[in-house]
């Protein structure tokens, strides 16, 4: 019913920047919170940043001051601007969205397929 497609990952040197995008499509009535998570090899998936429908943001301590999450509600898209990248930021980055698809029903969380970010030292 709802698909999330990420883009913008790649290989970058330490200190560089990348901008990730995640577009939601399908049967969407409204989108509540959206977020970015990441999973490095051998580690659990961790929260990177979230943004509410009113654009209130929250960040993991490890990315504060370097990453910025934003959204375009008209395009059902969430972005993650990543600056001053470090090798420890290397991971698969996933977006998610809390989506309501029908009136008078609860929302559900949907996930994208992930995009690889690799930061070389």
């Amino acid at each position: 019913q709802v698909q999330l497609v990420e883009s913008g990952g790649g290989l970058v040197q330490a200190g560089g920047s990348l901008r990730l995008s995640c577009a939601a499509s399908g049967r969407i009535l409204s989108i509540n919170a959206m977020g970015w998570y990441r999973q490095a090899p051998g580690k659990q998936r961790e929260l990177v940043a979230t943004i509410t429908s009113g654009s209130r943001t929250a960040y993991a301590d490890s990315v504060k001051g370097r990453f910025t999450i934003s959204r375009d509600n008209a395009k059902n898209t969430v972005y993650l601007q990543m600056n001053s990248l470090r090798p420890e930021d290397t991971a698969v980055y996933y977006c998610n969205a809390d989506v309501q698809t029908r009136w008078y029903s609860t929302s559900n969380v949907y996930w994208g397929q992930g995009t690889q970010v690799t930061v070389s030292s």
Side-chain angles (χ1 to χ4, degrees), residues 14 38 40 43 46 62 66 85-91 93 119:
R38 66 187 182 186
K43 295 187 177 181
E46 64 176 1
S62 59
R66 301 188 298 122
L85 282 161
R86 305 167 180 170
E88 54 264 39
D89 294 317
T90 295
Y93 284 70
V119 184

Side-chain angles (χ1 to χ4, degrees), residues 4 23 39 47 55 73-74 77-78 85 88 105 107-109 111 117:
L4 300 182
Q39 187 167 18
L47 172 69
S55 293
N73 291 329
T77 299
V78 62
L85 282 161
E88 54 264 39
S105 70
S107 59
N108 292 290
V109 175
W111 290 85
V117 171

Side-chain angles (χ1 to χ4, degrees), residues 16-120:
S17 298
L18 283 174
R19 188 190 193 211
L20 305 182
S21 300
C22 172
S25 62
R27 185 172 182 169
I28 297 172
L29 189 61
S30 64
I31 301 178
N32 301 317
M34 304 182 82
W36 287 96
Y37 290 71
R38 66 187 182 186
Q39 187 167 18
K43 295 187 177 181
Q44 290 189 336
R45 189 174 297 188
E46 64 176 1
L47 172 69
V48 175
T50 61
I51 185 168
T52 68
S53 57
S55 293
R56 183 173 298 179
T57 60
Y59 296 92
D61 287 343
S62 59
V63 307
K64 281 181 181 177
R66 301 188 298 122
F67 291 10
T68 302
I69 188 171
S70 61
R71 63 191 284 173
D72 184 334
N73 291 329
K75 296 181 179 180
N76 291 331
T77 299
V78 62
Y79 304 96
L80 186 67
Q81 178 65 45
M82 304 185 294
N83 298 328
S84 301
L85 282 161
R86 305 167 180 170
E88 54 264 39
D89 294 317
T90 295
V92 177
Y93 284 70
Y94 299 89
C95 68
N96 77 354
D98 184 23
V99 181
Q100 186 171 1
T101 58
R102 296 181 179 181
W103 291 107
Y104 311 116
S105 70
T106 58
S107 59
N108 292 290
V109 175
Y110 296 86
W111 290 85
Q113 80 286 352
T115 186
Q116 177 70 46
V117 171
T118 303
V119 184
S120 62

